[in-house]
């Protein structure tokens, strides 16, 4: 049976599997998207916004992160996901684990640091502002980033685009509650302006050091938080003259501290990540088994997890199932 852990960062939740010793099968490392969708399904699986694998490094990193969206598609990076992975590594390795990691991602090497207060600070690297690197067909505007209009039927929206190793479109709005969030989010994710699709963030400015966004994630839909999106939103707000280079970003799941010192170089994200539960997949829910199962037979999980510092103890209730 395949062991897993579930973690969340501001309500953005992930299934994590440790494969750093090369013990995972190719069916897990290169999964069928249908299996990922089953795992992430909140009724017939574990339930998550994505699946994260901790794998052996290919270059000079300490490990490699491979992340899949809830729809089974491969993602380049995820800010909340890498914080969850950082806390996961600290928990399973305990006192033997360093407090800083160099993690290989499809967006390059990302370096999270577990701080003494339990918060995780991540050097997210420099934002991508060149249209081809995002990618987007928007052209560079007067603010120094891709800008323009996106037409959604009878509505035109002024938007800006920023890459954080994955694509983001930022839409400044006056009121987050009155917009047709799901309609616009769904259309913008697959808009022809973004050939690789995009994450969508509706941005409200409360002050120059307090921003608020609602998130529609590529491949997942509405989520409670998006770390790379919070970074992209701050960069866009800075360049558009709407915010300082450091601000708290309010998301439905909580608050992230984002800074872009001097409006150049790396963007830094600081926020929490917490364990939810550990468990094992029954053989019927592993990648080699493809039939759809009755809900009560799908997954056994660990209950009553107790955490003491970095040492994790658990008790398996063999009669507990998602149902």
């Amino acid at each position: 049976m395949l062991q897993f852990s579930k973690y969340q960062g501001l309500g953005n939740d992930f299934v994590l599997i440790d494969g750093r010793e090369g013990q995972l099968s190719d069916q897990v490392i290169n999964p069928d998207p249908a299996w990922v969708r089953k795992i992430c399904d909140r009724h017939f699986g574990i339930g998550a916004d994505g699946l994260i694998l901790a794998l052996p490094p290919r270059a000079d990193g300490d490990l490699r992160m491979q992340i899949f969206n809830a729809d089974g598609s491969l993602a380049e990076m995820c800010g909340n996901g890498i914080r969850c992975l950082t806390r996961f590594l600290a928990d399973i390795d305990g006192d033997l684990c360093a407090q800083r990691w160099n993690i290989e991602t499809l967006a390059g090497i990302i370096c999270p640091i577990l701080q003494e207060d339990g918060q995780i600070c991540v050097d997210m690297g420099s934002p991508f502002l060149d249209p081809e690197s995002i990618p987007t067909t928007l052209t560079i505007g007067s603010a120094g980033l891709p800008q323009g209009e996106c037409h959604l039927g009878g509505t035109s929206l002024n938007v800006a685009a920023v890459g954080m190793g994955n694509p983001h479109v930022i839409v400044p709005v006056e009121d987050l509650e009155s917009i047709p969030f799901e309609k616009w989010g769904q259309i913008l994710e697959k808009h022809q302006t973004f050939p690789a699709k995009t994450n969508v963030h509706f941005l409200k400015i409360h002050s120059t050091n307090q921003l608020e966004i609602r998130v529609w994630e590529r491949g997942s839909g509405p989520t409670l938080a998006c770390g790379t999106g919070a970074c992209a939103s701050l960069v866009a707000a800075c360049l558009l003259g709407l915010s300082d280079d450091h601000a708290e970003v309010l998301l439905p799941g909580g608050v992230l501290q984002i800074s872009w010192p001097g409006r150049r170089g790396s963007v830094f994200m600081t926020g929490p990540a917490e364990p939810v539960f550990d468990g094992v997949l029954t053989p019927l829910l592993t990648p080699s088994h493809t039939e759809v199962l009755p809900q009560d037979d799908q997954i056994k999980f660990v209950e009553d997890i107790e955490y003491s510092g970095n040492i994790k103890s658990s008790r398996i209730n063999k009669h507990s199932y998602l149902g």
Side-chain angles (χ1 to χ4, degrees):
M1 292 188 289
L2 190 62
Q3 294 182 330
F4 71 89
S5 295
K6 182 171 175 177
Y7 279 66
Q8 61 87 13
L10 301 186
N12 203 191
D13 56 345
F14 302 90
V15 173
L16 294 106
I17 299 175
D18 186 9
R20 289 173 294 164
E21 301 301 320
Q23 71 270 38
L24 298 181
S25 69
D26 186 67
Q27 288 178 306
V28 176
I29 297 173
N30 299 293
D32 186 317
W35 179 69
V36 178
R37 291 195 295 270
K38 182 189 292 186
I39 292 298
C40 293
D41 190 284
R42 297 189 183 277
H43 300 287
F44 297 101
I46 300 166
D49 292 319
L51 168 68
I52 296 175
L53 307 179
L55 300 174
R58 286 178 172 166
D60 298 326
D62 297 313
L63 69 148
R64 176 166 57 96
M65 179 177 84
Q66 187 155 284
I67 180 167
F68 298 90
N69 296 313
D71 67 355
S73 59
L74 186 65
E76 301 93 340
M77 235 297 284
C78 175
N80 288 318
I82 204 163
R83 292 202 321 280
C84 287
L85 175 59
T86 300
R87 179 64 187 271
F88 171 70
L89 295 171
D91 286 343
I92 61 176
D93 291 347
D95 292 337
L96 298 177
C97 188
Q99 299 303 299
R100 177 189 177 99
W101 295 262
N102 295 317
I103 301 178
E104 298 174 9
T105 76
L106 292 179
I109 294 286
I110 304 295
C111 304
I113 300 173
L114 180 62
Q115 301 179 152
E116 291 185 2
D117 63 359
Q119 295 280 297
I120 298 162
C121 179
V122 186
D123 180 344
M124 299 290 287
S126 300
F128 297 102
L129 301 176
D130 174 67
E132 290 186 4
S133 65
I134 293 175
T136 179
T137 60
L138 294 171
T139 57
I140 297 291
S142 59
L145 78 169
Q147 296 172 258
E149 288 189 349
C150 282
H151 301 286
L152 285 63
T155 303
S156 292
L157 297 175
N158 291 316
V159 305
V162 175
M164 290 300 306
N166 53 356
H168 299 271
V169 60
I170 296 89
V171 187
V173 297
E174 292 293 329
D175 182 7
L176 289 171
E177 301 304 320
S178 63
I179 62 172
F181 168 70
E182 293 203 4
K183 177 181 177 181
W184 285 359
Q186 191 170 26
I187 295 173
L188 284 170
E189 177 192 357
K190 302 174 182 178
H191 199 276
Q192 61 186 7
T193 305
F194 302 96
K197 301 183 182 180
T198 188
N199 299 285
V200 184
H201 311 287
F202 298 98
L203 167 66
K204 177 179 175 61
I205 306 296
H206 290 284
S207 68
T208 57
N209 56 16
Q210 187 181 72
L211 316 179
E212 183 176 1
I213 59 174
R214 290 188 69 184
V215 177
W216 179 281
E217 287 199 58
R218 180 184 58 169
S220 296
T223 62
L224 295 177
C226 177
T228 53
C231 294
S233 295
L234 177 81
V235 169
C238 279
L239 293 176
L240 294 170
L242 302 175
S243 79
D244 297 332
D245 61 9
H246 182 284
E248 62 175 13
V249 179
L250 311 178
L251 301 113
V255 178
L256 290 173
Q257 299 294 330
I258 309 295
S259 63
W260 190 28
R263 303 189 181 190
R264 59 186 301 173
S266 291
V267 182
F268 295 88
M269 170 190 65
T270 302
E274 298 177 353
V276 181
F277 61 82
D278 289 349
V280 289
L281 297 179
T282 66
L284 295 179
L285 201 59
T286 57
S288 59
H289 197 281
T290 57
E291 72 180 61
V292 177
L293 304 171
Q295 185 171 345
D296 288 341
D297 292 334
Q298 288 195 25
I299 178 171
K300 205 161 45 167
F301 66 95
V302 177
E303 283 192 331
D304 301 329
I305 300 171
E306 297 178 357
Y307 289 87
S308 177
N310 285 329
I311 301 173
K312 199 162 47 171
S313 62
S314 61
R315 179 172 74 250
I316 296 179
N317 180 347
K318 293 185 178 179
H319 302 290
S320 293
Y321 299 88
L322 288 180

